[in-house]
Amino acid sequence: MSALLRLRDFGLQYGTFCLEPLSLALAPKERLAIVGESGSGKSLLALSLLGLSRACVRGSAEFWHNGTALELTTLGAKQWCALRGSAIGYIPQEPLTALNPLHTIKAQILESLRLHARFLTRKEQESRYDELLEKVGLEALKSREKVYPYELSGGERQRVLIAIAIANSPSLLIADEPTTALDASLQQQILCLLGALVSECGSALVLISHNLPLVRKHCDNVLVLQKGRLRDYADTQTLFAKNAPKSAYSAELLSAKLPQKPQAPQDTESILQTRELCVRYPLARNFWGKARAMRTALSPLSFTLCHKHNLGIIGESGSGKSSLGFALMGLVDKEGDVCVPKNGQLCVADMRTLNYRAFIQMLFQDPFGALNPRLNVFDIIAEPLRIHKHGDIAQKTKRAMERVALGAHYATRYPNELSGGERQRVALARALVLQPRVLILDEPTSALDHALRASIVQLLHDIAKECDMTYICISHELDIVQSLCENVLVLQKGEVIEQGACDRVFASPTQSYTRALLESITS
């Protein structure tokens, strides 16, 4: 067997989208990256190789399993059930929608072992469960038997999916943006873990990613897609070489740089202030539903947000970044106060009013979970305008779509028909349509390719200038924070360990934790 997976003139047709026929051979221990802009067909190709797509498939996809060549395009439902999770592992792009909200994390990880590793005793399954948690950096969950997906951060949910995917040491692992919600140091850890699986078990890895530095460091070959067309297919060293021949699109993708932030005004008013803001989540409840034990996700913190002085929130997965955003939006129980301007002075905000909702909006980390699956793109973006009783809804909705590079043909599509990056842009358009004074960006570019990241950051600069808007940017992508923000706040395990001017903190951090974050970006 020379190739573990071989595609011959493999093409797809899904509605109006067409993935042109392509051919490739994936050898054992090979790490193949698939890169390209949002909507280029990367995830659709992966889902088709897993038998999970409704697209019309043409050509051949041959997979070797236990010494036998299987034609993936002709497998039945029973064959797929035996193959997926054992021989072929899959890490979905959106963890919140991929995990069952009714089952505990432990039950979902053990389910994969019980389905495909029935020869293991209960004790061996428990031992394997603990081993998987250690591998993905979730040792803290060992002492918590009943943890549900909604109790974890986006990065922690992502690591749970990785644990499920590698539980049975599959011979082919397809990872769709596996490091999207993870900080830089954890990204390196997870990619090294997947690389170790490839080396130890003779597996092959298909990595779908927009993170080009990680692709360059951890992958052997790269396949570049644009709007369903194969633009380049070469080894990593050749593709990333400066003078190597490549398509114009690949060259543009590799050379994309983030725009510099504009000069902020020196003297400006305070538009938002927190006073001893704290978030605690219940760990256990008694028979009557009262919390018996609490976990502090965000220790009491106070800060002031000044007009046109964007604030960046950085830290590792589970450090309390998203909890801070939810508290500012009034979406979780909190302690302390949030103050906003009223009659020329800062007053405690009533978060239940429409005025506060118009004042502050949020772009959520998981776009698919934040969008109503029963509404099309136009209605999703127009919904806030209807709630706040704005006029000229059609024109304002159209303008919001144009701002985030969504053409008119997207208006009638539903969230399940969009790629991860396209959903991200729909969510951004929905957050911008009311033109709030403060916009919370929770991982705003996590699902976007490098070229689109640059255009979105430039778009955010333009919108801030045009609409008189200030951002609170929550991100693990430190270059995004540096390009958007004047000030930064560093969180670790719910506590502020460093804060100050963004340029100063990034140039000369005083805390070892901050230095480690910065070093993981440049390594």
Side-chain angles (χ1 to χ4, degrees), residues 397-415:
T397 302
K398 181 181 177 182
R399 187 180 180 190
M401 292 177 64
E402 291 172 348
R403 276 178 172 167
V404 297
L406 287 173
H409 61 283
Y410 283 97
T412 56
R413 293 190 185 180
Y414 288 82

Side-chain angles (χ1 to χ4, degrees), residues 147-418:
V147 182
Y148 291 86
Y150 69 89
E151 298 180 274
L152 302 179
S153 70
E156 289 169 334
R157 289 193 288 262
Q158 191 84 5
R159 283 179 274 170
V160 170
L161 286 183
I162 294 170
I164 294 172
I166 67 174
N168 295 293
S169 301
S171 55
L172 174 62
L173 180 61
I174 300 175
D176 193 353
E177 301 284 4
T179 60
T180 291
L182 306 181
D183 59 87
S185 58
L186 197 54
Q187 286 181 356
Q188 299 286 350
Q189 177 187 330
I190 291 300
L191 264 298
C192 288
L193 169 64
L194 298 182
L197 177 69
V198 169
S199 301
E200 294 170 8
C201 305
S203 307
L205 173 66
V206 176
L207 175 67
I208 298 171
S209 180
H210 68 273
N211 194 322
L212 298 183
L214 283 182
V215 166
R216 183 176 187 175
K217 184 175 181 179
H218 294 279
C219 293
D220 305 312
N221 298 299
V222 184
L223 187 150
V224 183
L225 293 177
Q226 183 194 24
K227 296 179 180 178
R229 294 183 178 181
L230 176 63
R231 294 303 184 189
D232 280 294
Y233 180 33
D235 66 90
T236 307
Q237 187 175 1
T238 299
L239 187 71
F240 281 87
K242 288 185 178 180
N243 299 321
K246 57 178 73 73
S247 68
Y249 173 71
S250 297
E252 179 186 353
L253 201 64
L254 295 173
S255 61
K257 293 183 179 180
L258 294 176
Q260 295 296 313
K261 61 188 171 212
Q263 186 67 34
Q266 294 295 326
D267 300 320
T268 183
E269 63 172 329
S270 300
I271 59 171
L272 186 142
Q273 186 180 76
T274 66
R275 298 172 183 169
E276 298 296 310
L277 190 66
C278 177
V279 178
R280 294 185 175 91
Y281 296 118
L283 285 175
R285 297 181 183 273
N286 60 22
F287 179 78
W288 292 273
K290 187 175 180 180
R292 291 186 298 171
M294 303 290 286
R295 176 176 68 90
T296 301
L298 188 68
S299 299
L301 67 85
S302 301
F303 67 84
T304 299
L305 179 70
C306 294
H307 180 54
K308 294 289 186 180
H309 284 241
N310 300 331
L311 175 66
I313 313 292
I314 65 175
E316 63 188 354
S317 172
S319 60
K321 305 187 300 294
S322 294
S323 292
L324 173 57
F326 295 155
L328 293 174
M329 289 294 296
L331 298 176
V332 295
D333 293 334
K334 63 174 180 60
E335 301 170 21
D337 297 321
V338 177
C339 303
V340 296
K342 185 178 181 181
N343 300 326
Q345 59 183 355
L346 290 174
C347 302
V348 177
D350 184 354
M351 297 183 174
R352 298 168 296 179
T353 64
L354 286 179
N355 286 337
Y356 185 77
R357 294 298 186 197
F359 174 83
I360 186 169
Q361 283 285 305
M362 184 172 185
L363 175 64
F364 293 92
Q365 182 176 350
D366 180 20
F368 193 45
L371 301 178
N372 190 331
R374 296 185 177 183
L375 299 181
N376 60 32
V377 168
F378 180 89
D379 289 333
I380 286 171
I381 299 172
E383 185 180 31
L385 297 172
R386 295 191 177 105
I387 293 173
H388 290 261
K389 298 181 180 179
H390 282 237
D392 201 8
I393 291 177
Q395 187 63 29
K396 289 179 179 178
T397 302
K398 181 181 177 182
R399 187 180 180 190
M401 292 177 64
E402 291 172 348
R403 276 178 172 167
V404 297
L406 287 173
H409 61 283
Y410 283 97
T412 56
R413 293 190 185 180
Y414 288 82
N416 67 294
E417 299 176 296
L418 305 176

Side-chain angles (χ1 to χ4, degrees), residues 415-427:
N416 67 294
E417 299 176 296
L418 305 176
S419 70
E422 288 166 341
R423 292 175 194 140
Q424 191 89 329
R425 283 182 275 166
V426 172

